[in-house]
Amino acid sequence: MATTLRTPLAAPSTDCRIGEIRVAGKTSLLEVKTAGSETFLAVGQAIGDVDADAVRRLMIRRTITEHLEKEKRLAPLGIKVLSLFFIDAVEHYRSYDEDGNAVKGKYATIFEEEYRRAAKLPDFASLFSEVDATSEAEDVRDGYFSIDKSKRWRHSESNQSGQDSAERAYNLIMKDKEKLLSFDTKLKFIFSHSALREGWDNPNVFQICALREIGTERERRQTIGRGLRLCVKSVGPDKGHRVRGFEINTLTVIATESYEAFADNLQKEIESDTGIHFGIVEKHQFAAIPTRKDDGTLAMLGFEESASIHEYLKNSDFIDAKGKVQDKLRAALKDGSFTLPDAQAAHLAQVKEVLRKIAGRLDIKNADERRAVPVRKEILHSAEFQSLWDRIKHRTTYRVHFDNAKLIDDCTKAIADAPPITKAKAIVRKADLAIGQGGVIATETSTSGPVTIDEGDIALPDVLTDLQDRTHLTRRSLVTILTESGRLDDFKRNPQAFIELAAETINRTKRLALVDGIKYQRVGNDHFYAQELFEQEELTGYLKNMLENAKKSVFEHVIYDSAGVGAHFRRAA
């Protein structure tokens, strides 16, 4: 199966003004101005966060929507669609009372609410025309957890129906694969706490929703591995036969991390767990290339010839000592300048084909844009710069003093004057993941508009503990700041946004207090930085990260690493 990833990302939840907007590919940026601060966002970044349960509700909603969209398309082809949820705690889906009766957890409740909501949408009317969505929402979901055996089965005398239900769920999910794939079986959404048992899989899992972090070793691969199978027909003369084609076999993963991070972490886990190294050329890499002998028969190139090509690549700096592909090789493959020694020239096409699969993508810098940055000597040796340098060249130590009572008053006032907080919003990004020898490549395919998170869906967190962790102030100080700020109603409206705003405001006020209270002291008159540092080594850079013809700089051009804050700061200087 191909892999698609959808990730809910937080959108700004406080009033703000938009400053500079720059559209320049990977170096694009957006300046967001709030009271007393400004932030530069690169592509894929966001301000603030939303309540975890609200995000998970959105993830469940997206999973149901993805499921129903595929069901509309694949059910007429005789393919039953299944979805799999991995949850963080069993009690969030199901718990048991003292009599062994099942009690719905918050995920089960959220699922049923969102399923009934989806059933009312005109897009899915054809799927629910003859279905009671109220009862259907309970029938289409189930799960099997160890608690089911320890709780349900323990009360076998007083709760025989519970035991029977547990046994049916276990057998259906873990054993009766054919029955689960039947359209006569209503179960379509499966909840699990782990990746089920190693070796469990069902070929018709088309959606995987990770309602928990999946960053532990092997876990990400095992998680998506539950759905990386060719699906099978559920009805008809070719029942049970595999169906091929990426247009059908696409796995959608709904996760809490961005698709870029998901692809990167997936690649790292595959490398760590399997020993497969993406972008590494092994000595035996070309041994299986077919070659024709003088008598017309076909044979393999062999290890010795493969090792000889590997040695050539290493000596030419196309790969390093460990076989890792270098940018020089990627560039040569891209512009067609890659060649082999005469002895292996006949195999050039096959070797290039192998290398292209391993090399992956390349972030190429244009050599024509490389510039030397000379010193502007008239400024370096000017009286103004000499005066400045004499003041700042000395090495120093520093001490900080600040008034705690004044800090609390300043924090209180800063929060009181901070912008109002609106309802939380989220967006959903969808991307395709391709796994090849070159690595895991993510390509964004679509982005949804902002979705408002209802206040009723948000649970109030422990604001004092959270702010204490973020600001390192005492609980007594935080209580004083929050109560006297008069902004606790904002906490009820959007807890996470309020915590983000309060933490950022308090930490900014702390920084200002530190700056006001800082005192520098020279180490001694003999400890200083020499002005000759500016002329000892030539400075070079690329135009895309360079501010040219800087009039006030010691250098004729200013090089910056960041396309956001660094570039803006240097242009403003």
Side-chain angles (χ1 to χ4, degrees):
M1 274 194 176
T3 307
T4 300
L5 183 69
R6 286 182 182 247
T7 58
L9 299 178
S13 55
T14 59
D15 286 352
C16 60
R17 293 185 294 113
I18 303 300
E20 180 183 0
I21 300 176
R22 183 187 310 152
V23 180
K26 293 184 178 179
T27 62
S28 300
L29 64 85
L30 174 69
E31 180 185 13
V32 181
K33 297 181 178 181
T34 57
S37 69
E38 58 184 9
T39 304
F40 291 87
L41 301 180
V43 176
Q45 292 182 329
I47 293 178
D49 205 347
V50 294
D51 177 70
D53 283 346
V55 172
R56 292 187 175 99
R57 174 181 288 274
L58 183 59
M59 293 172 69
I60 292 173
R61 179 184 303 171
R62 296 297 305 192
T63 304
I64 294 171
T65 301
E66 285 284 323
H67 179 107
L68 296 177
E69 287 177 350
K70 285 183 182 166
E71 191 169 293
K72 280 176 58 179
R73 183 164 53 90
L74 299 182
L77 302 178
I79 301 171
K80 182 177 179 179
V81 177
L82 300 177
S83 292
L84 190 55
F85 293 89
F86 291 113
I87 63 177
D88 49 358
V90 176
E91 60 268 21
H92 290 165
Y93 178 77
R94 179 163 58 215
S95 59
Y96 291 89
D97 60 22
E98 295 181 355
D99 297 326
N101 297 310
V103 179
K104 293 179 186 176
K106 60 182 179 181
Y107 291 159
T109 302
I110 290 173
F111 175 87
E112 292 181 8
E113 292 172 355
E114 294 300 329
Y115 189 83
R116 295 183 183 112
R117 174 185 174 277
K120 299 176 182 178
L121 297 177
D123 293 344
F124 308 126
S126 60
L127 298 176
F128 295 95
S129 58
E130 298 179 1
V131 173
D132 180 6
T134 301
S135 60
E136 179 83 359
E138 297 186 25
D139 296 337
V140 298
R141 63 161 182 85
D142 210 333
Y144 174 75
F145 313 99
S146 58
I147 191 175
D148 293 330
K149 186 173 182 178
S150 62
K151 292 291 186 181
R152 271 183 173 171
W153 296 6
R154 181 185 301 170
H155 300 273
S156 57
E157 293 182 1
S158 60
N159 195 352
Q160 184 63 39
S161 62
Q163 176 184 349
D164 294 340
S165 179
E167 290 176 336
R168 285 195 300 271
Y170 173 79
N171 291 330
L172 185 59
I173 295 171
M174 306 299 292
K175 294 182 178 181
D176 298 336
K177 182 186 298 184
E178 290 188 7
K179 186 175 181 181
L180 182 59
L181 289 175
S182 171
F183 283 103
D184 294 332
T185 301
K186 291 187 176 182
L187 178 59
K188 305 173 186 177
F189 299 87
I190 301 169
F191 287 77
S192 175
H193 181 251
S194 62
L196 299 175
R197 291 188 310 193
E198 190 167 352
W200 183 94
D201 70 274
N202 191 293
N204 286 27
V205 172
F206 285 88
Q207 288 73 228
I208 293 179
C209 180
L211 296 172
R212 61 182 176 84
E213 297 298 327
I214 51 175
T216 59
E217 184 180 3
R218 297 179 61 195
E219 195 170 4
R220 183 176 277 96
R221 251 188 345 108
Q222 285 191 2
T223 298
I224 70 168
R226 302 307 97 192
L228 292 178
R229 303 289 188 273
L230 292 177
C231 67
V232 300
K233 286 287 191 74
S234 298
V235 294
D238 51 355
K239 177 181 178 181
H241 290 190
R242 299 283 183 181
V243 181
R244 301 183 181 276
F246 286 122
E247 68 280 0
I248 292 177
N249 292 288
T250 298
L251 171 67
T252 299
V253 180
I254 296 90
T256 55
E257 59 188 334
S258 71
Y259 66 84
E260 297 95 341
F262 185 90
D264 183 59
N265 291 330
L266 175 60
Q267 176 170 322
K268 289 178 181 177
E269 287 186 16
I270 292 175
E271 290 180 341
S272 174
D273 195 47
T274 66
I276 297 173
H277 297 289
F278 296 106
I280 299 294
V281 180
E282 306 285 355
K283 286 188 175 182
H284 59 78
Q285 202 76 54
F286 315 101
I289 290 177
T291 180
R292 191 172 297 276
K293 293 183 176 180
D294 294 337
D295 60 1
T297 60
L298 289 176
M300 299 295 103
L301 186 61
F303 178 82
E304 291 185 3
E305 285 293 319
S306 178
S308 177
I309 296 174
H310 184 275
E311 188 68 19
Y312 164 75
L313 295 174
K314 185 171 65 174
N315 293 337
S316 302
D317 295 326
F318 288 129
I319 59 176
D320 64 16
K322 296 182 179 180
K324 187 172 182 60
V325 171
Q326 303 298 295
D327 283 353
K328 181 180 178 181
L329 175 59
R330 295 188 177 99
L333 291 172
K334 184 177 181 67
D335 62 24
S337 62
F338 177 80
T339 59
L340 287 175
D342 292 340
Q344 289 95 22
H347 314 301
L348 178 61
Q350 295 99 314
V351 171
K352 289 172 68 175
E353 183 179 354
V354 172
L355 290 175
R356 284 195 185 96
K357 293 179 180 178
I358 299 173
R361 298 176 297 173
L362 170 64
D363 180 17
I364 298 177
K365 296 179 179 178
N366 189 347
D368 293 336
E369 295 183 353
R370 194 165 191 256
R371 297 285 188 273
V373 184
V375 174
R376 198 183 295 275
K377 292 188 178 181
E378 63 272 21
I379 292 182
L380 179 64
H381 299 297
S382 67
E384 293 85 352
F385 184 79
Q386 188 66 51
S387 175
L388 171 64
W389 188 252
D390 287 340
R391 294 197 302 272
I392 66 174
K393 68 180 181 181
H394 296 280
R395 299 186 181 186
T396 62
T397 60
Y398 68 89
R399 291 175 174 82
V400 179
H401 171 76
F402 64 89
D403 186 339
N404 190 61
K406 184 176 183 300
L407 174 65
I408 293 177
D409 291 340
D410 290 345
C411 289
T412 301
K413 185 176 185 303
I415 293 179
D417 295 339
I421 292 176
T422 59
K423 289 185 177 181
K425 295 182 180 180
I427 60 173
V428 177
R429 302 165 66 196
K430 185 174 183 180
D432 290 336
L433 298 185
I435 304 175
Q437 284 183 299
V440 180
I441 300 173
T443 304
E444 184 171 344
T445 58
S446 65
T447 304
S448 76
V451 178
T452 301
I453 307 297
D454 294 332
E455 294 180 25
D457 298 333
I458 301 176
L460 296 179
D462 184 348
V463 62
L464 291 179
T465 299
D466 202 335
L467 286 178
Q468 190 174 23
D469 292 340
R470 295 175 184 234
T471 65
H472 305 292
L473 295 184
T474 64
R475 296 176 73 89
R476 176 180 295 179
S477 297
L478 290 171
V479 169
T480 301
I481 292 170
L482 296 180
T483 53
E484 293 185 3
S485 71
R487 295 294 299 275
L488 287 177
D489 286 341
D490 286 340
F491 171 65
K492 298 176 183 179
R493 180 182 302 111
N494 192 329
Q496 194 62 38
F498 178 81
I499 291 173
E500 295 286 346
L501 177 67
E504 194 278 332
T505 302
I506 291 172
N507 286 329
R508 183 177 69 249
T509 306
K510 283 175 57 182
R511 289 193 295 269
L512 293 175
L514 292 174
V515 171
D516 292 340
I518 195 168
K519 302 295 181 184
Y520 289 93
Q521 184 174 357
R522 289 186 186 181
V523 175
N525 292 331
D526 296 332
H527 297 81
F528 57 86
Y529 297 97
Q531 189 171 335
E532 288 75 18
L533 289 172
F534 292 98
E535 299 179 284
Q536 287 177 351
E537 294 184 8
E538 182 182 60
L539 187 65
T540 60
Y542 291 86
L543 291 179
K544 68 177 183 179
N545 295 110
M546 185 183 297
L547 177 63
E548 297 183 89
N549 301 318
K551 303 300 182 183
K552 301 179 182 179
S553 172
V554 176
F555 294 98
E556 291 187 7
H557 315 302
V558 178
I559 298 172
Y560 50 85
D561 295 325
S562 168
V565 178
H568 180 81
F569 175 78
R570 285 160 177 79
R571 286 188 172 87

